[in-house]
Amino acid sequence: MAAITTKAIVFSAIKYGDTSLIVKCFTLEEGVKTYMIKGVLKAKKGKLKAAYFQPLTQLLLTANHNNKGTLNSIREAQVSYLYETIHTSVIKQTIVLFIAEILSSIIQEEEKNESLFNYIETSLIWLDTHNSIANFHLLFLLNLSRYLGFYPDTSNQHGTAFNLLEGNFTLSTHEKSTVIGENFLLFKRLLGTNFDAIHTISFNKTERQIVLKIIIQYFELHLEGFKKPKSLDVLETVFS
């Protein structure tokens, strides 16, 4: 079994027994992989530390990938980008847990997806190095839809509503799953924005919740089996 060295982003870590973790990572080279890391919770020494496997930690792994649907193992790991503010900010920490939960539920493929990996990686570094981050999760999810193949079609600029099912602007405002009126205008403000312009969008608490609910509904309609994240309530509490 040949070892592979790859960048990886931790999606989740579940305790297994008293001392071990089952860790799900999104790797640059081979997509989603799940690892059994034995004894890591009691190890004082050793190459692997439990702290490496916090949600969305960026790692450089040397791992054995057996590709038989069984758990893989990690030989070595080191943090490839050390967050400076994410672990000290309650708001950033909450955003990270929320995003990790969503990514873990929707990204399942065991195949390389370099552009998606790079998007997640650079977005997290942006989050770590900026302060105006109240709308980060909204833009992160909306732009994530581009890599999942259902980013809104904004070509019909005259549309006065947004059809969540079709993913486009429309003039018919009475159909089911259509965002209209004030909510449509709020949602539209986010479209076409990048992270560096995010501070120009000022949503209040209520507006932010409205836009997030629209995006979650959009994901539910376009991703089979997508469930509303459990961490949504925590996120709303932190921003209230």
Side-chain angles (χ1 to χ4, degrees):
M1 191 188 312
I4 182 167
T5 298
T6 176
K7 280 180 163 182
I9 296 168
V10 178
F11 278 178
S12 64
I14 298 163
K15 197 173 169 190
Y16 181 79
D18 289 333
T19 62
S20 302
L21 288 174
I22 293 174
V23 176
K24 183 175 171 184
C25 292
F26 184 43
T27 70
L28 174 60
E29 296 301 329
E30 296 192 348
V32 173
K33 291 287 176 189
T34 307
Y35 303 95
M36 166 71 83
I37 305 172
K38 291 179 176 159
V40 68
L41 297 176
K42 73 163 198 291
K44 294 277 187 288
K45 296 186 176 116
K47 290 175 182 169
L48 303 178
K49 297 176 172 59
Y52 290 173
F53 305 106
Q54 307 274 352
L56 301 190
T57 301
Q58 298 187 30
L59 299 173
L60 185 66
L61 300 179
T62 301
N64 296 329
H65 289 171
N66 45 37
N67 299 322
K68 293 197 194 78
T70 50
L71 294 170
N72 304 281
S73 60
I74 295 175
R75 289 188 186 183
E76 290 177 28
Q78 62 191 70
V79 175
S80 62
Y81 175 86
L82 190 62
Y83 296 129
E84 291 184 7
T85 65
I86 281 176
H87 299 307
T88 56
S89 157
V90 174
I91 290 180
K92 287 186 181 185
Q93 192 69 50
T94 309
I95 288 174
V96 158
L97 291 174
F98 173 72
I99 288 173
E101 186 187 348
I102 287 183
L103 291 173
S104 186
S105 79
I106 63 179
I107 301 175
Q108 309 285 354
E109 306 78 46
E110 290 202 12
E111 58 190 50
K112 185 169 184 169
N113 187 336
E114 195 167 340
S115 60
L116 176 59
F117 187 95
N118 291 340
Y119 171 68
I120 298 170
E121 179 185 49
T122 51
S123 300
L124 290 169
I125 293 171
W126 191 96
L127 176 66
D128 187 53
T129 52
H130 289 77
N131 297 322
S132 298
I133 49 103
N135 299 319
F136 173 87
H137 55 296
L138 305 179
L139 192 56
F140 178 85
L141 290 182
L142 187 60
N143 287 346
L144 179 65
S145 71
R146 193 186 299 280
Y147 299 89
L148 304 173
F150 58 94
Y151 188 79
D153 174 5
T154 56
S155 57
N156 178 12
Q157 289 298 331
H158 302 297
T160 51
F162 182 74
N163 185 319
L164 289 166
L165 201 55
E166 299 296 330
N168 57 19
F169 290 161
T170 175
L171 289 166
S172 54
T173 55
H174 53 272
E175 285 171 37
K176 201 172 159 246
S177 306
T178 302
V179 183
I180 59 171
E182 190 63 36
N183 291 2
F184 168 67
L185 295 175
L186 289 173
F187 179 64
K188 196 176 174 184
R189 270 160 66 185
L190 202 59
L191 287 167
T193 306
N194 62 24
F195 287 123
D196 288 331
I198 202 169
H199 62 280
T200 63
I201 300 174
S202 52
F203 290 138
N204 63 32
K205 182 188 89 179
T206 311
E207 291 170 339
R208 193 175 293 119
Q209 287 185 0
I210 287 168
V211 174
L212 182 56
K213 285 199 171 86
I214 292 169
I215 295 171
I216 297 278
Q217 192 187 350
Y218 189 50
F219 272 60
E220 283 172 333
L221 287 168
H222 291 268
L223 291 170
E224 203 176 333
F226 180 79
K227 294 181 188 68
K228 195 153 74 172
K230 293 190 181 82
S231 52
L232 189 60
D233 297 340
V234 184
L235 190 72
E236 294 190 344
T237 308
V238 165
F239 279 116
S240 62

